[in-house]
Structure formats: C-alpha cells, structure tokens
Amino acid sequence: MKIDAYEKLFLGLTVVALACFMGALAAAVNRHGIRLPHPTARVDPAALRAAPPPPFDQLGLVDKGGGAYDLNLLAAMWQYEPFFPDKMEAGVRVPAGATVTFNVSSPDVIHGFKIKDTNVNVMVIPGQVSTVTHTFDAPGVYTVLCHEYCGAGHHRMYFKLHVDPPAAAGADAGRAGGES
Amino acid sequence: MSATAGFTLPRQDERYMLWQVYLGLAVFMWGIFAGLAQALDRVLPSTSTLWKLFPGQETYYQGLTAHGVFLAIGFTFAFSNGFMLLVASRAFERAPNRAVNAASFWCMTVGAVLVAGTIVLGKANVLFTAYPPLMAHPLFYLGLVLVVVSTWLTGLAGALLYRAWRRDHPDARTPLQAFAFLATYAMWFIASLGVAVEVLGLLLPWSLGLFDKIDPQLARSLFWFSGHPIVYFWLLPAYLSWYTMIPRQVGGKLLSDPLTRLVFLLFLLLSTPTGLHHQYTDPGIDTWLKNIHLVATMAVFFPSMITAFSVCAALESGGRARGGRGWFGWIRKLPWDDPSVTAQILAMIGFTLGGLSGLVNASYVMNLVVHNTAWMPGHFHLTVGTGVALSFMGISYWLIPHLTGRGLVWRRAAVVQAWLWLIGVFTFSRGQMAGGLESLPRRLSVSQMSYGADIPAWQTSHLLTGIGGTIMFISGLMFGLIVLWTVLRGPAAGRVDMPVADAMVHGPDEGWPVLERWPVWIGLAVVLIVLAWGPFFLTYEWNMVSTGVAP
C-alpha cells in the first residue's frame, strides 16, 4: 500500500513524539521516584468498624518518630474518620518536612483520596487498603478531598491537613496555603 | 463506483433506522436539559427556586446520572445504530434482515424506558459508571443489558448483510463504508463482553438478592474492559463520516482507501487492551499490569494521528478544488455555509484538543495530577461531547432530510448553532480543566459543597463551566428545534442523497488483500486482549466482601 511522503514524515514525527513521552514517563518514575498506587493489603470492610485490624485499630495520626507519621483513616459516607464534620476544618497538624504514610480503607462504598497541590491521588475501594506516602516540605493548609461519587453527601467529604512552618510550630497555620 | 446508485432501501426498513435516530435525539435533548442543571449548579445557590424547573432531578446526582447515562449510552448508541445500519445497507445495496433490525429498535426502546424510568423515580442514583457497592434497582441493570443487546443486534444485521453480499461478490473489496461498519461493530462486540459479564454475572443477580456480596475492585475492572473501547464505539461512526462522507461534502478527495481501512482495523486491535489506564490509581492492581495498558494506550494514539493527517488532506483538497490558494487560503474556501460540514469541521477541532488532553490522562504517573478531577469532564466534553456529539449533529443535518424527504429549515441558524457549541465547549472545558489542575473534583455538586470557598482558582473554574455549559445547552436546544421543525414543517424538497466519497487519490485496489481477512484481524484482536487482560484476570484473587449500599 502506498503512503505519500508527507504522510510518512508526519507519522514518523508521531512515533518520535510518542517515544519522547514514554522516555519522559520513564524518567518521572525511575529518576524522580513518582509511583502509582499498588496493592498493599486487603481487609474485610465489615470488620473495619466491628473489630478493626491494624492499622485501623488506631485511627488518626500516629507518630512513628524521626519525622515519620502514619495517618490511618476510614473513608466512609461522608467523612474521613476520625475527622467527623465538626473536625474537618481543624483536621490534622504535622510539622514541615513530615513524611506521612496514609492508610485508607472504606467500610461502605468506593471513595477517592486526593490531596491538593501534591501527587497524592488514590482510589479507596472496599476490600482493599490504599497506602500512599508523601513528604510535606512546604508549610500551608492542604485540602484533602473525596473525588469519587459516594452518594448523596459526596460534596461534604473533606478535611484539612495543616503543615506548620518549622520555626513557628503551633503558630497560626490557618491561612490559605499551597501554591495556587 | 457509487455504492448507492440504483438501490432503494424499502421504507419499512428505513423506518426502524429513522425511529432509532429519533429516539437517540430525544434522549439527547433530555440529557442536555440535565446538563443545564449541572452548569447552573456551578453558579446558582443550592437554595435557588430555579431547581424546581428541573423535573426528575430531585438531587444533583440524580440529574448527573440522567446526564451521563442518556448522553453517553442512550444518545450515542441509538443514533449510531440507526445511522450505521443505514450506511451499511446502502453500501452493500441490500435491505437488512427486517426482524433483526426491528428487534434492535425495540430492545433499544424498552431498554431506554427501563433505564430512564428507574433514574427518574430515583431508584438508580449511581451515575453512568454504576460502581458497586452502590446499588440500583434491578430494572436499571436490565435496561442497560437491553441497550447493549440492541447494539449487538445492529452488528448482527450488518454481519448478515456482509455474508449475503460476499456470496455474490467472492473476490471484490468490501465497500469502504460497509468495511468501517464491520470494524466498528466487531470491535464493540468483543469489547462489550466485559460489561456484559459485569452486569449479567455480578450486578443484576446481586441486585436481585441472589447473592449478598460483591467485589468492587473486580467489577471496576470488568467495567473498564468495556469502558475505554466504548469511547471508540462512540467515535468511529464520526470517523466514518469524516473519512468517507466529508470529502464528498467539501468537494475533495479521500487520500487513501487502504489506509482508511487500516485505521479502522487498528482500532479493532488496540481499543480494548487499554482499559487499565482508567485504573492507574486503583489500590488493588499491580503496576506492571498498568504498564502494559500504558503502552497499548500510547499505540492507539497512532491511528488517530493518521486520521488527523488524512482528514486534513481531504479538506485541503476540497478547499483547493474550490479555488483556494496558498498555505491557508483553502480553509476560507471550504463550504462554511453548509451546516453539516461546519458542524463536523468544528467537531474535529474540538476533538483534536480533546485527544491531546487524553494523552495527559493516559500518561501513567501524570494521571496522578488529573485523575478524577474536573479536568476529566473538561477532556471528554471535547472528545465525546464535541468530536462525537457535534459530528452527529452535523450528520443529522443531512440524515434527517435524507430519511424524511423534508428539506432542512433555518440553515443559517444551524451554522450559528455549530459555532455556538464550539464556543460553549471551549469555555466549559477551559473552566473544568483549569479547576482540575487545581484538584477540583469531578462529579460533585458545587452549589452544595462544604469546602473550597477559600480556593480562588476554583471560583473562576465554576464561573467558566457555568457559562460554557449554558451556551452548549442553548446550542443544543437550537439543534433540537431545527430538527423538529424540519421534520414537522420542512419543505417537501425530495430526498437529499447520502454522501459517499468515491473520489480517491489511492483507491481500494492498492490495499493489501489481507485487509479483507476478518478472521486474521479478529483473531489478532483477541490475542492482544488476552495478552493485556489475561494476566490481570488470571492473577486477581476474588474478594467478594461488599454488601449493597443505597446511594
């Protein structure tokens, strides 16, 4: 089959462009360490409330020492427990430089878990444990939100993660943060 | 050469096609009406009395379910069934099996009634993706089954036409338009098996109480087995029009018949091994599996780039034949006063941006920035919402006169309508994409949301989305009125013929004979699917743990 010279050139450039994209992705993964979520553990959704297995027997922030923290959460209709509606705005505080490992699972339906201005973005699927780690270098107030439809109250499901400046830990961190 | 000269399709056969197109357009009007509510939700308070004007949308998510299901499944499937079978029948110069054609229409109608009924009664607020353990009424799932079966029946009608035609023409090349039909429906039949297993094997019996617990992770993967190729099932009827009709409509030449066939075959091969790129952020799927689908997704960009070249070349040849000179002079000479052409060229422009934004979504870790944010609706309102929907509007501008014998009314308004759609979607998608890059979630009632007022970028996003969506609705309403008035009051102008691009630079005889060997291509498609999906389905351990939850 005959393909005209211009078209061959165009398709050649397409292949080159796609190869560049794939190269850039390989660099993002291997040189910069940006990774997709992957399987860590499974859990019985019914047990999450009745007889929670670790790490969900200890909801909220757990200081592991050395600037490392676990934040164990139940993504449920329609809050990230333990941040019930009156605690969503206050949320949780960590110092700048903290490395936080989020363990999230759902006792009911599919939820989402995204932190604004970061690469933290993972689905929360009943039966699976979603585990992602992020180091918060920039102080500010991060909005953590549910980005999968989870029923009539989906638009109320969020909390705030406050990253305090290193020198002024405990000072007013309620101002708008992030690099928007 | 013309595949249509001297053949008349019996009126009764045409009528089922016409009514399936009408059904699609009626569903379209309902869907965009629901869309208006979504647009207004960005700019009006939740307490506004205006919401009373939207019957059947007690909650935002009920309306959003109607919007997604009616437009993405109802409108596209019903319109394609009618349009594509007409094209295949004309190209093969044969009437389709009447019982199969009628069964396709009635399956679609009954399915649409069940789906629409359960949504309007508030028994299926589960959105278009219907992810369990959110549970809808069993009749909702049954309706979806019938809608998909309707597409299978239309595919069967086309396959029967091919068999009968092949008996009489053992050595001839399949007419190009018929070839496009066969590749499209073969692709979709294979691809739809995922959602068929999901609904028939899991969702329907589970909603009937035959078993209590379901595996949400497994159901998602079955859904996305079909959920990515479904976008090519929406798109390929538009490609058929761009490749094999638009060149005639602009007075130009199709660049290459064999390359066109190859493009449709590449979609048959590459559409389905890609679905896991919708699940890059799923916790239950290994990254090496996601890697395989990344490669296939990048590969499927290739036939779309061939299309970009070929379609532009055909437009340029038309513009030059009409007296266009210089690098860009041919653009002005295109028949911009023809609403069918204008709508489809603008659809191509929208689709180009949509396709490029799709590359972002497909790009593995870059997906972390945009997954499930408002970027996504920004992206797919350019692809299916413009590349496909605006093309279908452009096709309707000759198809309705063709099938009814009524001349198109208000041609100038129809041209304005097409431009308005593009302006609307550009405004809408600019708003959605900008919001998405700032982590604004998708599928969410903005008027009711309890956070985000402190994020200025989101406010701009809401405003643009609201304005753009409203403009799109006005454009869609104009389209509906033009079609309605054409049907009711259009001048009895005689039939407009179906456009067939029979002028080509490279004709069918230049193609490899293997292009006609369907067992080879379908076999290859199955092999690729087994390679891409086999490892997941073989290694995945079932996890039936979730009981149904009412949304």
Side-chain angles (χ1 to χ4, degrees):
Chain A
M1 133 170 39
K2 176 146 172 36
I3 297 176
D4 293 308
Y6 275 130
E7 182 151 31
K8 276 190 188 140
L9 176 68
F10 181 79
L11 295 180
L13 290 175
T14 300
V15 172
V16 171
L18 287 176
C20 291
F21 296 161
M22 295 292 276
L25 290 176
V29 174
N30 295 316
R31 288 185 67 96
H32 299 280
I34 306 170
R35 297 286 157 86
L36 289 182
H38 58 94
T40 51
R42 287 182 166 187
V43 65
D44 178 7
L48 282 172
R49 286 248 166 76
F56 300 104
D57 52 347
Q58 205 178 353
L59 291 184
L61 196 68
V62 180
D63 191 342
K64 309 289 267 191
Y69 296 83
D70 277 1
L71 185 55
N72 304 322
L73 301 166
L74 288 193
M77 296 161 94
W78 293 286
Q79 63 262 324
Y80 294 98
E81 300 171 14
F83 307 119
F84 289 92
D86 58 330
K87 302 265 173 37
M88 287 177 178
E89 205 52 42
V92 65
R93 310 191 84 89
V94 294
T99 297
V100 184
T101 297
F102 300 88
N103 298 304
V104 194
S105 198
S106 162
D108 42 53
V109 299
I110 297 180
H111 297 276
F113 187 83
K114 177 159 176 60
I115 306 180
K116 188 176 181 306
D117 303 321
T118 72
N119 284 333
V120 175
N121 188 336
V122 64
M123 301 303 299
V124 184
I125 297 177
Q128 311 281 339
V129 177
S130 302
T131 303
V132 282
T133 300
H134 185 77
T135 300
F136 291 89
D137 288 324
V141 183
Y142 292 79
T143 302
V144 186
L145 53 90
C146 176
H147 63 26
E148 184 55 87
Y149 169 64
C150 54
H154 170 44
H155 44 264
R156 298 197 295 268
M157 189 163 167
Y158 80 104
F159 70 92
K160 294 248 169 102
L161 189 149
H162 304 260
V163 178
D164 294 332
D172 177 23
R175 286 148 26 88
E179 298 289 317
S180 55
Chain B
M1 192 63 215
S2 165
T4 60
F7 167 70
T8 313
L9 194 57
R11 189 73 194 129
Q12 184 65 27
D13 298 309
E14 259 184 8
R15 210 165 277 153
Y16 287 117
M17 301 168 188
L18 176 63
W19 278 92
Q20 191 136 205
V21 169
Y22 282 160
L23 180 66
L25 295 181
V27 166
F28 172 77
M29 295 313 291
W30 194 345
I32 63 167
F33 180 62
L36 177 64
Q38 263 96 67
L40 294 178
D41 178 78
R42 265 73 191 163
V43 288
L44 289 179
S46 60
T47 50
S48 168
T49 49
L50 264 179
W51 300 121
K52 294 199 171 59
L53 296 177
F54 292 91
Q57 299 186 48
E58 301 267 314
T59 75
Y60 177 84
Y61 302 104
Q62 188 179 10
L64 187 57
T65 304
H67 181 69
V69 172
F70 292 176
L71 290 179
I73 301 177
F75 160 58
T76 49
F77 284 16
F79 187 93
S80 292
N81 275 353
F83 165 62
M84 293 290 276
L85 191 57
L86 173 80
V87 171
S89 306
R90 295 296 300 266
F92 281 131
E93 302 186 315
R94 270 163 208 279
N97 182 304
R98 190 167 291 166
V100 176
N101 187 12
S104 167
F105 170 76
W106 286 112
C107 262
M108 182 62 75
T109 306
V110 175
V113 167
L114 290 179
V115 169
T118 45
I119 291 174
V120 167
L121 293 173
K123 304 287 186 196
N125 296 345
V126 295
L127 307 192
F128 148 72
T129 43
Y131 292 137
L134 288 174
M135 191 194 265
H137 194 280
L139 288 178
F140 173 77
Y141 301 120
L142 184 66
L144 289 180
V145 170
L146 291 176
V147 167
V148 172
V149 167
S150 161
T151 63
W152 291 351
L153 288 167
T154 295
L156 174 66
L160 292 172
L161 280 173
Y162 174 65
R163 199 180 61 167
W165 176 88
R166 180 52 84 197
R167 219 177 285 136
D168 295 348
H169 306 79
D171 300 316
R173 305 273 167 148
T174 311
L176 180 60
Q177 292 180 325
F179 187 94
F181 174 101
L182 294 172
T184 303
Y185 275 83
M187 182 281 292
W188 171 241
F189 177 73
I190 301 171
S192 61
L193 293 175
V195 81
V197 170
E198 186 205 5
V199 176
L200 291 173
L202 294 174
L203 297 180
L204 188 56
W206 170 69
S207 70
L208 287 167
L210 297 183
F211 49 86
D212 280 348
K213 295 194 172 177
I214 202 164
D215 182 347
Q217 180 69 76
L218 176 67
R220 268 170 77 81
S221 294
L222 287 167
F223 179 85
W224 287 114
F225 181 98
S226 305
H228 194 68
I230 199 178
V231 311
Y232 301 111
F233 186 52
W234 298 329
L235 182 63
L236 290 181
Y239 271 22
L240 182 149
S241 172
W242 298 356
Y243 269 112
T244 75
M245 294 177 169
I246 282 287
R248 156 63 67 91
Q249 289 175 283
V250 301
K253 285 182 174 177
L254 169 62
L255 189 59
S256 170
D257 169 292
L259 207 53
T260 307
R261 292 173 197 253
L262 185 65
V263 164
F264 276 86
L265 290 175
L266 284 174
F267 280 110
L268 169 62
L269 297 185
L270 296 172
S271 292
T272 311
T274 58
L276 284 183
H277 73 240
H278 291 258
Q279 297 180 275
Y280 281 150
T281 64
D282 276 23
I285 298 174
D286 276 309
T287 41
W288 67 274
L289 293 163
K290 296 170 180 172
N291 253 301
I292 298 175
H293 287 233
L294 160 70
V295 175
T297 307
M298 287 293 174
V300 86
F301 186 61
F302 197 70
S304 278
M305 289 303 278
I306 303 180
T307 304
F309 188 93
S310 300
V311 170
C312 280
L315 290 176
E316 183 179 345
S317 75
R320 295 207 184 282
R322 300 165 69 90
R325 298 267 174 277
W327 276 40
F328 300 108
W330 56 271
I331 297 174
R332 278 186 43 209
K333 293 286 183 182
L334 290 169
W336 292 103
D337 56 337
D338 179 341
S340 177
V341 170
T342 299
Q344 293 186 70
I345 294 177
L346 300 183
M348 295 167 196
I349 294 171
F351 182 73
T352 304
L353 295 177
L356 292 174
S357 61
L359 266 180
V360 174
N361 314 345
S363 289
Y364 207 61
V365 288
M366 209 198 287
N367 183 262
L368 293 171
V369 180
V370 293
H371 175 75
N372 261 2
T373 68
W375 168 278
M376 289 299 159
H379 155 72
F380 66 68
H381 281 78
L382 288 166
T383 53
V384 63
T386 299
V388 176
L390 190 52
S391 288
F392 284 7
M393 291 184 236
I395 292 167
S396 298
Y397 285 143
W398 66 256
L399 180 65
I400 298 296
H402 172 78
L403 285 172
T404 60
R406 301 274 189 176
L408 184 69
V409 299
W410 310 335
R411 290 176 64 92
R412 212 174 279 174
V415 171
V416 171
Q417 177 270 317
W419 281 101
L420 259 188
W421 189 275
L422 193 76
I423 293 166
V425 78
F426 276 3
T427 313
F428 171 93
S429 287
R430 171 64 176 75
Q432 288 280 279
M433 290 177 147
L437 292 174
E438 297 285 346
S439 296
L440 174 65
R442 68 186 283 196
R443 320 184 120 178
L444 174 127
S445 170
V446 168
S447 69
Q448 299 174 80
M449 73 193 291
S450 60
Y451 61 97
D454 53 346
I455 301 171
W458 288 11
Q459 315 315 318
T460 321
S461 163
H462 300 330
L463 186 65
L464 290 174
T465 303
I467 294 172
T470 306
I471 295 173
M472 289 172 82
F473 172 75
I474 293 169
S475 166
L477 187 65
M478 286 173 70
F479 165 73
L481 292 173
I482 292 166
V483 168
L484 187 67
W485 210 248
T486 297
V487 171
L488 296 177
R489 290 280 186 279
R495 289 193 149 217
V496 183
D497 206 1
M498 184 178 95
V500 182
D502 42 20
M504 296 173 189
V505 180
H506 301 288
D509 298 334
E510 293 183 30
W512 305 317
V514 72
L515 293 176
E516 292 283 328
R517 301 276 303 277
W518 288 104
V520 171
W521 299 102
I522 291 174
L524 258 178
V526 171
V527 168
L528 286 176
I529 289 169
V530 168
L531 287 176
W533 282 101
F536 171 75
F537 286 114
L538 287 175
T539 59
Y540 183 81
E541 288 175 52
W542 285 38
N543 193 28
M544 305 283 270
V545 290
S546 282
T547 44
V549 178

